[in-house]
Amino acid sequence: MKYKTIRGTRDILPAEISQWQDAENAARELFKRYGYSEIRTPVMEETGLFIKSVGEDTDIVKKEMFSFRDRGERDISLRPEGTAPIVRAYLENNLVNLNPFQKLYYIGPMFRAERPQAGRLRQFHQVGIEAIGSNSPALDAEVIIVMAGLLDSFGVKNYTMKLNNLGCADDKKKLSKSLKELFSKKEVASLLCDDCKRRAATNPLRVLDCKIESCKVVVRKYFKEVEFLCADCKKHFDDVLKFLDLVKIKYAVDPYIVRGLDYYTRTVFEASCGSLGAQNAVGAGGRYDNLISDMGGPVTGACGFAVGIDRALIAAGKVPGETGGAKVDVFVAPLGEEAYKKAFLVLADLRASGISCDIDYESRSLKSQMRSADKLKARFVLIIGDDEIKKGEAALRNMQTKEQVCVSFDKLAAAINGKIE
Ligand code: HAM
């Protein structure tokens, strides 16, 4: 019997790993420029953390978490997202006492039991930031600017940054109440999809971003009439837009962006890419001003985003490399048993001097060793035969120019380092 990856999970193979490493390195470099520090939290958390933060009535918590009871009868879930664990870590580790304003970033796998399709996985990877401890609209703008910078550095083009203002908790309640009334009208309710019929009572805001066409039609026809934002929330959002205009970030205000997580307040945003098809959100985020206090911390604002790396690489048109695998500076090709021993020593010396090199483990002919060198895209081949050992030197061949020179064993590392710098 052959084992296979679990549905909705995938291997990231050597041929594509450099794209992931490049993306992660670009993210780290960008976040450093904005003053963010990395945080790593466990992939498992108490299930209650997500019920409390993401929300009991959300699709993520209701249908998509990988939850189980462990041997100690504890309810545990694989993390479906990174914000709640980071807020938990911020409070549990008293980061608030070190500095109440914290800028944190994370890169790692998340888990959601969604129906797998192109760009939608059960284990996917997010890179994100959470800035905790400020209510300033300049922070919302900066978080959006960082996300735009990240998408740029990944090579994602042609995306639309959509923004909306959900208002504070009171505004959301007001909106929720009017939507409940609206969706309970017979003529409106009858047009909603089955999911939205249920949402209309439990989480009516989610109806606003339902992807089903008939629901979109209902929302666009009736929703305009609802006015729910307080003056402070209106001003906050206007200020966010002013900051974005200052640095010429392109965006579109879209009143139907509500996001699938309950903790959001005020600014929410989503970057979507037409080329991705149905799963078109490459990244998203927003402000969550009540989450810290709801979880037992101080009353303080926070804002963040997460970009899906799997999706961003698809959106950037990245395809696995042709050959992939390791690339080495030098391929050492010994001819014969004595030469192999010498080559083994040379290999250790070169590696200790910082030169990447490899050898053929099967002691094959020079011709097949040259083929291996080509496969590894070696820049130099170092040929060691009995003659060379007698003379105390090796033949160093430049694979591009085909030029070959003899170099004494004790000068090899210096000679190669001089050529590859
Ligand atoms: P989210 O919108 O649920 O937000 O996820 C953010 C991004 O993760 C999505 O835009 C998408 O690129 C990627 N993603 C989500 N689900 C999948 C999936 N099943 N397969 C592949 N990619 C996926 C959050 O998770 C929030 N925690 C973002 C945030 C941070 N808000 C504030 N701070």
Side-chain angles (χ1 to χ4, degrees), residues 298-312:
V299 178
T300 188
C303 191
F305 75 76
V307 163
I309 308 179
D310 314 74
R311 255 182 226 179

Side-chain angles (χ1 to χ4, degrees), residues 81 83 106 112 114 119-121 124 126 129-130 259 261 263-264 281-286 288 304-306 308 311:
E81 61 104 50
T83 310
Y106 53 98
R112 292 184 197 174
E114 294 187 83
R120 190 163 70 190
L121 291 147
F124 57 100
Q126 283 188 346
I129 63 174
E130 310 296 345
R259 313 276 303 111
L261 304 100
Y263 49 63
Y264 290 116
V282 266
Y288 44 96
F305 75 76
R311 255 182 226 179

Side-chain angles (χ1 to χ4, degrees), residues 186-208:
K186 234 191 197 156
E187 70 274 21
V188 181
S190 63
L191 301 168
L192 297 175
C193 73
D194 286 347
D195 268 348
C196 282
K197 280 192 179 113
R198 181 180 51 77
R199 287 177 189 140
T202 57
N203 198 350
L205 263 72
R206 289 304 315 281
V207 178
L208 297 184

Side-chain angles (χ1 to χ4, degrees), residues 45-331:
E45 297 276 355
E46 280 180 53
T47 298
L49 171 69
F50 300 109
I51 297 177
K52 175 92 182 153
S53 56
V54 173
E56 200 158 8
D57 283 325
T58 57
D59 286 352
I60 293 180
V61 167
K62 259 201 149 74
K63 310 192 241 176
E64 296 169 0
M65 286 211 294
F66 284 97
S67 301
F68 57 96
R69 185 157 284 185
D70 76 354
R71 287 165 201 267
E73 299 290 300
R74 284 166 288 246
D75 286 317
I76 290 176
S77 293
L78 298 185
R79 60 181 185 195
E81 61 104 50
T83 310
I86 282 167
V87 171
R88 195 256 321 124
Y90 170 83
L91 298 173
E92 184 178 345
N93 298 290
N94 282 320
L95 299 187
V96 61
N97 293 346
L98 285 177
N99 181 356
F101 181 56
Q102 292 276 340
K103 286 174 138 184
L104 304 166
Y105 80 83
Y106 53 98
I107 303 177
M110 306 290 160
F111 306 84
R112 292 184 197 174
E114 294 187 83
R115 200 158 45 79
Q117 61 183 79
R120 190 163 70 190
L121 291 147
R122 292 186 167 176
Q123 175 174 336
F124 57 100
H125 303 79
Q126 283 188 346
V127 49
I129 63 174
E130 310 296 345
I132 304 175
S134 169
N135 293 311
S136 164
L139 182 64
D140 310 37
E142 189 187 270
V143 166
I144 293 168
I145 291 164
V146 178
M147 187 163 104
L150 187 68
L151 292 174
D152 278 352
S153 74
F154 285 0
V156 178
K157 297 190 178 86
N158 301 327
Y159 64 84
T160 318
M161 183 77 82
K162 292 183 196 152
L163 268 62
N164 192 20
N165 184 3
L166 293 181
C168 55
D170 282 348
D171 294 350
K172 276 176 80 181
K173 263 188 221 142
K174 223 189 286 170
L175 173 62
S176 192
K177 189 164 168 272
S178 357
L179 288 175
K180 260 187 199 162
E181 280 164 18
L182 174 66
F183 297 139
S184 65
K185 285 184 188 156
K186 234 191 197 156
E187 70 274 21
V188 181
S190 63
L191 301 168
L192 297 175
C193 73
D194 286 347
D195 268 348
C196 282
K197 280 192 179 113
R198 181 180 51 77
R199 287 177 189 140
T202 57
N203 198 350
L205 263 72
R206 289 304 315 281
V207 178
L208 297 184
D209 75 348
C210 179
K211 305 287 183 271
I212 308 268
E213 204 44 49
S214 57
C215 296
K216 278 189 185 169
V217 172
V218 176
V219 164
R220 272 148 188 74
K221 185 164 173 200
Y222 296 97
F223 174 61
K224 302 185 250 327
E225 300 151 20
V226 184
E227 179 50 66
F228 63 96
L229 292 168
C230 68
D232 278 355
C233 288
K234 271 187 191 153
K235 179 172 184 326
H236 180 93
F237 193 63
D238 286 346
D239 289 344
V240 174
L241 300 188
K242 275 181 203 149
F243 282 119
L244 292 176
D245 291 338
L246 266 178
V247 289
K248 299 193 170 53
I249 289 280
K250 284 199 195 120
Y251 59 82
V253 176
D254 180 338
Y256 307 113
I257 299 281
V258 293
R259 313 276 303 111
L261 304 100
D262 280 355
Y263 49 63
Y264 290 116
T265 48
R266 292 192 162 174
T267 316
V268 285
F269 52 92
E270 213 169 83
S272 53
C273 243
S275 63
L276 279 176
Q279 301 309 314
N280 63 5
V282 266
R287 190 164 259 294
Y288 44 96
D289 290 341
N290 300 319
L291 185 57
I292 324 293
S293 54
D294 283 352
M295 303 231 299
V299 178
T300 188
C303 191
F305 75 76
V307 163
I309 308 179
D310 314 74
R311 255 182 226 179
L313 292 180
I314 299 173
K318 301 268 162 79
V319 284
E322 277 171 9
T323 51
K327 294 190 179 113
V328 292
D329 294 322
V330 180
F331 191 83

